[in-house]
């Protein structure tokens, strides 16, 4: 797999990263796969490690709908819920961006990622230096910030009260980033924070694309 660095001066460097992350924070990032995917409007997917059962079922339905609409999804796909969503997405034909919480140097590419990469519909992207070869909780926070900055919209399936994902959601709302969540009483805190029900997400993406 060809590992490529995308620098801030390169045309592929996403405008959203320029707008949300300063040059010192992210002068470049590493990629494997089709960098054309970076130009698409995308939905960032983030979920806390613990996720209530009712939300799991609704998230499956939401991700299938997003997949079937052919929308690009970007995420770390590390929490159990996110991993299940990735499995659903890889069965589709839409573009996907995977952002590990580690560098891409020396990383083994799972065999189920190989064909989507070869087909040009999967990109792996990482903001971490070559020395960061082990995922940690601190790197996961940085990675989720990277996912949110890449995305046009962010779908937070669930955020545990007082957790790091809730802290991220609060920051995104304060920044004016459009965030959505699964409509469920378990997500009352996110909805009260200002997240919109996930049913509005496809409508917003359609408006952004002008369709």
């Amino acid at each position: 797999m060809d590992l490529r660095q995308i620098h801030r001066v390169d045309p592929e460097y996403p405008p959203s990263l320029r707008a949300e992350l300063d040059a010192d924070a992210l002068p470049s990032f590493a990629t494997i796969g089709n960098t054309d995917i970076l130009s698409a409007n995308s939905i960032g997917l983030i979920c806390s490690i613990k996720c209530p059962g009712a939300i799991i079922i609704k998230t499956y339905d939401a991700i299938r709908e997003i997949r079937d609409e052919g929308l690009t999804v970007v995420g770390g796909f590390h929490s159990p819920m996110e991993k299940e969503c990735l499995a659903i997405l890889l069965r589709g034909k839409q573009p996907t961006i995977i952002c590990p919480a580690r560098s891409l140097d020396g990383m083994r590419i799972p065999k189920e990622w190989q064909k989507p990469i070869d087909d040009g519909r999967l990109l792996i992207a990482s903001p971490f230096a070559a020395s960061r070869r082990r995922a940690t909780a601190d790197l996961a926070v940085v990675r989720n910030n990277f996912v949110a900055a890449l995305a046009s919209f962010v779908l937070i399936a669930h955020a545990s009260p007082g957790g790091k994902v809730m802290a991220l959601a609060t920051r995104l709302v304060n920044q004016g980033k459009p965030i959505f969540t699964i409509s469920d009483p378990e997500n009352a805190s996110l909805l009260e924070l200002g997240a919109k029900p996930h049913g509005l997400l496809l409508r917003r993406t359609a408006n952004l694309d002008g369709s």
Side-chain angles (χ1 to χ4, degrees):
M1 286 292 148
D2 292 333
L3 180 63
R4 181 184 174 192
Q5 288 288 330
I6 304 296
H7 298 274
R8 200 173 179 88
V9 296
D10 294 335
E12 296 95 335
Y13 195 100
S16 60
L17 292 184
R18 289 195 182 96
E20 298 188 34
L21 301 174
D22 61 40
D24 291 335
L26 192 66
S28 67
F29 62 97
T31 64
I32 295 173
N34 182 11
T35 57
D36 290 345
I37 297 173
L38 292 169
S39 64
N41 295 315
S42 60
I43 298 170
L45 175 65
I46 299 173
C47 185
S48 290
I49 292 175
K50 294 182 178 180
C51 186
I55 292 177
I56 290 174
I57 301 301
K58 293 179 180 179
T59 302
Y60 287 161
D61 292 340
I63 289 299
R64 289 190 187 98
E65 189 173 9
I66 289 169
R67 178 196 66 189
D68 294 346
E69 288 292 327
L71 301 172
T72 301
V73 179
V74 53
F77 301 108
H78 177 73
S79 72
M81 183 75 262
E82 293 169 358
K83 287 180 180 179
E84 292 295 330
C85 289
L86 178 60
I88 292 171
L89 292 170
L90 291 180
R91 291 196 290 269
K93 297 183 182 299
Q94 81 304 316
T96 303
I97 303 173
I98 300 175
C99 303
R102 52 154 293 170
S103 80
L104 302 188
D105 294 78
M107 179 178 169
R108 289 187 177 182
I109 306 301
K111 62 180 181 180
E112 60 267 25
W113 297 6
Q114 186 64 61
K115 188 175 188 304
I117 291 174
D118 293 342
D119 291 344
R121 63 181 185 86
L122 178 61
L123 176 70
I124 309 172
S126 170
F128 301 111
S131 60
R132 300 288 192 172
R133 295 195 176 195
R134 181 180 177 184
T136 67
D138 288 341
L139 294 187
V141 171
V142 176
R143 185 271 315 284
N144 284 347
N145 288 335
F146 180 63
V147 167
L150 275 176
S152 304
F153 308 97
V154 179
L155 174 61
I156 300 178
H158 180 67
S160 298
K164 293 177 180 178
V165 174
M166 182 62 77
L168 173 62
T170 301
R171 180 176 65 78
L172 294 177
V173 168
N174 291 337
Q175 289 179 343
K177 187 88 173 189
I179 71 169
F180 297 81
T181 192
I182 301 300
S183 302
D184 190 273
E186 293 280 3
N187 280 336
S189 296
L190 281 169
L191 294 165
E192 291 170 3
L193 182 65
K196 303 300 182 183
H198 72 279
L200 301 177
L201 180 55
L202 289 179
R203 187 185 309 172
R204 287 291 302 273
T205 54
N207 291 339
L208 189 64
D209 292 335
S211 55

